[in-house]
Amino acid sequence: MNQAAAFSQKAFTQSLKKYYTFYTGGFIAFVILLAIAEQLGLSRKAIGLTFLFATIGLYAMIGIMSRTAEVAEYYVAGRRVPAFFNGMATAADWMSAASFIAMAGTLYLSGYDGLAFIMGWTGGYVLVAVFLAPYLRKFGQFTVPDFLGARYGGNVPRTVGVICAITASFVYVVAQIYGVGLITSRFTGLEFGVGVFVGLGGILVCSFLGGMRAVTWTQVAQYVILIIAYLIPIIWLGVKHLNNPVPHVNYGLVMQKLAEVEKKIIADPKEAEVRAIAKSRSDAARAALKDPAKSHAEGKAALEKQVAELKASGPADKLAAAEKALAAYPADVEAATKAWRADQGLAAHTAPLRKHAEAFPGKDEEARDVARRNFLGIVLCMMFGTAALPHILMRYYTTPSVREARNSVFWTLFFICLLYMSAPVLAVLVKYDVYTSLVGIKHADIPSWLGAWQAVDATLLRIADINGDGILQSAEIQIGGDLIVLMSPELVGLPYVISGLVAAGGLAAALSTADGLLLTIANALSHDVYYKMVDPHASTTRRVTVAKMLLLVVAVIAAWVTSFKPGNILFLVGAAFSLAMSGLFPALVLGIFWKRANKWGAIVGMLVGLGVCGYYMFTTYPFLRDLIGVTKPVAEYMWFKMNPISAGVFGMPAGFLAIFVVSLLTAAPDKETQEFVEHVRYPKLVGDIDTRGN
């Protein structure tokens, strides 16, 4: 980088710092004004809509101001994003709906076991810094399939790379759109499916016009919102329970109190009663649903017989109860089926309370071994998946130099850790608040805001008076992990404006990642398929236009798939990591560090890795099993009893093995390819760009 360019880059960085300082101050002032308006009588719906449209409008403005038709600007933001801001943008790109919405929820539900995600996702950036980021920046093109096509030669490796990148990115973007739909429907009152497409508009305004240039500067703005939104409830809870606005340093005191509360709940005979009733009703419902028509007829006949017998000779009170039961019995098979399905859902209320700090729980040593294996499996999948996600790796193409690429990994970790160090704190504080402020109250006194969340998605929040005593037991409330963060302000009695702020933060997290993912998919199709294979002579304007059209098509398809609710956010995100590590990580790493890796080894390795991972998911995950009609028990398909989210532990080794074997059995790469590996392997700390593949 020459002296003039360095001066220009420094001036650009100073301008960015000034703009985003004013932006942060303006956003804080906006929140304060809304809080004042709430006290003056502004309705909750108006607050929710204001946050939704104000933030989306802000992102749209950045997107419009960043519009471009230049290829380098559209694909890699002109390669001039400073390390500090690239770290912030990458953190926003990274901290998806899973990190913002589901991370604390997973820790709330799983306790110690949830730490596997934090360890894996954070550790993955070490792999990115050591194995991939500087080398891909030295290569200097636009996409991950671009590198595979240049390294291994020909369009076949590029095409397989496109398939792997699109598969992982599409699964990931569905999770983000699900989070957008959840937030939009809750704070606008729209039906979930409609909320998904409304949120989709917010995604498109960020990325459609300006590509990576617009996405980068939008993501920096989104990071500011999401981190402020995440920290405020934690500060409030810290003051409430610890008299400390930074509860990260001593939240262990609340964990001790939580352990005492858990002991009392576990010892409560009412909790055991609720679980026993829930199991009895869910088992009966499952049996009845095997043949609903027969079960309905037999059930009605049994009640009619009982009433007849009691009329002949029976106590009046028993007769009245039997007649009441007969009158309440479903009128037809359809109504009975609906009731049985509701009772079948009570199976979620049968599990005993899990202690938050207990590691690897289980009835016996075998069960604990399975828990340990799955913990390690998640850590590995999240780590290696992080290092292979195309939308993350693309961000390191945007820095001015290799040195800046390395530095931006440091800043990325710093900005991510601000949230990841807070998630365990929030999980503990919220759980303690639930056990002390909700458990034990009368069902008649349950706050109305819980009903509002239940109306959004009944599968995420279930409350039922199972034993009929009118008191809310712990086993009678099942909160989905995707709700913990979003409901935390209402749980602790914060002003509703904070609920709107947290929703805006969750929306920012989901939108930022969705933008990056959609751009990854569209760029792979437009650059690697259309430009590299279909029309190599396409003008720059045509290439960018095709990218925009493909981005729109992919976004609509992803929203349509999301409307079917194919899984919870955490599984979908975890599946994307497993798919990325299985299909891409072996080919990328061996392409950089093993000169003998060749074209056919990479092709077979990517297909085998992706295939093994996909097979395991389709045969072990309920939604996917139903999709392809698998009826045999899941246990017959499980290897080492690993959960489907960790399918990458089988896919990645299979991919590595296939590349090694096939590469050794076929011809070695030519001299030009080996020189290319040398060039990429030893990056100079300057902004030189390899033009191979242009």
Side-chain angles (χ1 to χ4, degrees), residues 130-168:
V130 173
F131 291 113
L132 291 166
Y135 309 109
L136 290 178
R137 177 60 188 85
K138 179 66 182 296
F139 168 60
Q141 287 296 305
F142 297 142
T143 67
V144 169
D146 229 357
F147 172 79
L148 295 170
R151 165 61 177 86
Y152 293 109
N155 287 332
V156 179
R158 185 189 300 274
T159 302
V160 178
V162 168
I163 292 170
C164 292
I166 289 177
T167 301

Side-chain angles (χ1 to χ4, degrees), residues 7 50 105 159 164 287 290 359 370 432 448 506 548 603 616 631 652 683:
F7 179 79
T50 300
T159 302
C164 292
K290 291 180 180 178
V370 171
Y432 182 72
S448 59
K548 291 178 180 179
I603 293 169
Y616 193 78
T631 56
M652 188 180 73

Side-chain angles (χ1 to χ4, degrees), residues 150-348:
R151 165 61 177 86
Y152 293 109
N155 287 332
V156 179
R158 185 189 300 274
T159 302
V160 178
V162 168
I163 292 170
C164 292
I166 289 177
T167 301
S169 298
F170 188 83
V171 173
Y172 207 160
V173 81
V174 166
Q176 307 316 307
I177 296 177
Y178 181 92
V180 171
L182 188 68
I183 295 167
T184 304
S185 59
R186 169 65 178 92
F187 289 93
T188 63
L190 296 172
E191 189 267 332
F192 176 81
V194 178
V196 164
F197 283 93
V198 170
L200 180 65
I203 295 170
L204 291 175
V205 298
C206 302
S207 54
F208 183 75
L209 294 174
M212 182 62 81
R213 178 180 174 181
V215 166
T216 297
W217 306 126
T218 303
Q219 285 173 340
V220 174
Q222 287 164 335
Y223 180 82
V224 172
I225 292 176
L226 73 86
I227 200 64
I228 291 173
Y230 203 86
L231 292 178
I232 285 180
I234 295 174
I235 293 169
W236 197 283
L237 280 163
V239 172
K240 178 180 178 180
H241 294 299
L242 294 164
N243 294 316
N244 181 5
V246 189
H248 306 67
V249 297
N250 64 337
Y251 77 101
L253 297 174
V254 176
M255 286 192 69
Q256 292 176 7
K257 295 179 182 179
L258 177 62
E260 294 300 319
V261 174
E262 287 172 338
K263 288 179 182 178
K264 292 179 182 178
I265 293 175
I266 292 170
D268 187 352
K270 287 287 186 179
E271 295 287 341
E273 178 187 14
V274 168
R275 290 196 297 272
I277 294 172
K279 187 176 188 310
S280 174
R281 286 173 59 182
S282 63
D283 289 347
R286 190 178 297 108
L289 286 169
K290 291 180 180 178
D291 191 343
K294 180 182 177 182
S295 299
H296 178 263
E298 289 178 349
K300 187 174 183 180
L303 282 173
E304 289 173 341
K305 180 181 178 182
Q306 184 182 9
V307 169
E309 291 175 349
L310 289 170
K311 280 183 177 179
S313 58
D317 58 338
K318 289 187 177 181
L319 174 60
E323 288 177 334
K324 184 178 180 181
L326 180 60
Y329 194 76
D332 52 36
V333 176
E334 184 179 349
T337 300
K338 185 178 180 180
W340 286 325
R341 283 176 178 162
D343 277 357
Q344 191 178 28
L346 293 176

Side-chain angles (χ1 to χ4, degrees), residues 213-553:
R213 178 180 174 181
V215 166
T216 297
W217 306 126
T218 303
Q219 285 173 340
V220 174
Q222 287 164 335
Y223 180 82
V224 172
I225 292 176
L226 73 86
I227 200 64
I228 291 173
Y230 203 86
L231 292 178
I232 285 180
I234 295 174
I235 293 169
W236 197 283
L237 280 163
V239 172
K240 178 180 178 180
H241 294 299
L242 294 164
N243 294 316
N244 181 5
V246 189
H248 306 67
V249 297
N250 64 337
Y251 77 101
L253 297 174
V254 176
M255 286 192 69
Q256 292 176 7
K257 295 179 182 179
L258 177 62
E260 294 300 319
V261 174
E262 287 172 338
K263 288 179 182 178
K264 292 179 182 178
I265 293 175
I266 292 170
D268 187 352
K270 287 287 186 179
E271 295 287 341
E273 178 187 14
V274 168
R275 290 196 297 272
I277 294 172
K279 187 176 188 310
S280 174
R281 286 173 59 182
S282 63
D283 289 347
R286 190 178 297 108
L289 286 169
K290 291 180 180 178
D291 191 343
K294 180 182 177 182
S295 299
H296 178 263
E298 289 178 349
K300 187 174 183 180
L303 282 173
E304 289 173 341
K305 180 181 178 182
Q306 184 182 9
V307 169
E309 291 175 349
L310 289 170
K311 280 183 177 179
S313 58
D317 58 338
K318 289 187 177 181
L319 174 60
E323 288 177 334
K324 184 178 180 181
L326 180 60
Y329 194 76
D332 52 36
V333 176
E334 184 179 349
T337 300
K338 185 178 180 180
W340 286 325
R341 283 176 178 162
D343 277 357
Q344 191 178 28
L346 293 176
H349 297 263
T350 60
L353 185 73
R354 182 172 182 172
K355 295 179 181 178
H356 191 83
E358 183 179 5
F360 315 125
K363 296 179 180 179
D364 50 40
E365 190 57 33
E366 182 182 356
R368 287 189 285 274
D369 282 342
V370 171
R372 291 188 192 99
R373 284 201 297 271
N374 277 286
F375 183 92
L376 292 173
I378 289 173
V379 172
L380 291 173
C381 288
M382 299 308 107
M383 282 183 65
F384 288 100
T386 298
L389 283 171
H391 76 291
I392 295 298
L393 296 178
M394 276 178 62
R395 291 234 52 93
Y396 299 105
Y397 285 127
T398 66
T399 59
S401 66
V402 174
R403 183 186 296 277
E404 290 284 284
R406 289 186 184 274
N407 291 342
S408 67
V409 176
F410 163 78
W411 284 115
T412 299
L413 270 172
F414 172 78
F415 289 121
I416 287 174
C417 282
L418 289 180
L419 189 143
Y420 276 15
M421 291 175 66
S422 302
V425 182
L426 183 61
V428 169
L429 294 175
V430 168
K431 181 176 280 191
Y432 182 72
D433 223 276
V434 168
Y435 286 171
T436 55
S437 65
L438 288 181
V439 173
I441 68 172
K442 295 180 179 179
H443 276 268
D445 296 332
I446 291 174
S448 59
W449 58 266
L450 280 173
W453 276 115
Q454 197 165 11
V456 173
D457 191 341
T459 63
L460 289 176
L461 180 65
R462 294 188 182 95
I463 300 176
D465 190 4
I466 295 172
N467 63 350
D469 67 350
I471 303 298
L472 182 63
Q473 273 82 41
S474 172
E476 291 178 331
I477 177 170
Q478 295 295 317
I479 304 174
D482 294 345
L483 288 188
I484 296 301
V485 173
L486 296 175
M487 64 179 252
S488 61
E490 292 168 297
L491 175 67
V492 298
L494 283 166
Y496 190 76
V497 69
I498 304 302
S499 295
L501 174 62
V502 170
L507 192 65
L511 289 176
S512 61
T513 304
D515 290 332
L517 291 163
L518 288 174
L519 200 61
T520 296
I521 297 171
N523 288 357
L525 291 171
S526 64
H527 179 73
D528 292 292
V529 177
Y530 175 73
Y531 175 61
K532 291 291 185 177
M533 298 185 222
V534 178
D535 187 4
H537 303 293
S539 65
T540 56
T541 302
R542 187 174 183 83
R543 289 165 63 187
V544 172
T545 301
V546 169
K548 291 178 180 179
M549 294 302 103
L550 287 169
L551 189 147
L552 183 62
V553 171

Side-chain angles (χ1 to χ4, degrees), residues 8-126:
S8 175
Q9 183 66 27
K10 185 177 180 180
F12 179 61
T13 303
Q14 293 298 324
S15 297
L16 288 174
K17 289 179 179 179
K18 181 174 67 175
Y19 295 150
Y20 281 105
T21 298
F22 284 130
Y23 161 78
T24 304
F27 179 73
I28 293 171
F30 168 74
V31 174
I32 293 172
L33 288 174
L34 266 185
I36 295 171
E38 180 183 0
Q39 298 303 311
L40 295 176
L42 188 66
S43 69
R44 291 189 167 197
K45 186 172 183 179
I47 291 171
L49 289 171
T50 300
F51 265 115
L52 177 67
F53 291 112
T55 52
I56 289 180
L58 174 66
Y59 306 149
M61 183 175 69
I62 296 174
I64 292 169
M65 292 173 64
S66 303
R67 63 189 183 278
T68 183
E70 296 180 25
V71 170
E73 291 286 349
Y74 193 88
Y75 285 128
V76 289
R79 302 190 200 279
R80 59 195 185 107
V81 182
F84 178 85
F85 290 97
N86 195 55
M88 195 179 290
T90 307
D93 204 352
W94 169 251
M95 288 192 295
S96 62
S99 291
F100 189 97
I101 298 175
M103 170 59 70
T106 300
L107 289 161
Y108 176 96
L109 296 175
S110 304
Y112 180 93
D113 288 359
L115 294 174
F117 291 95
I118 291 180
M119 293 168 63
W121 283 339
T122 307
Y125 272 93
V126 177

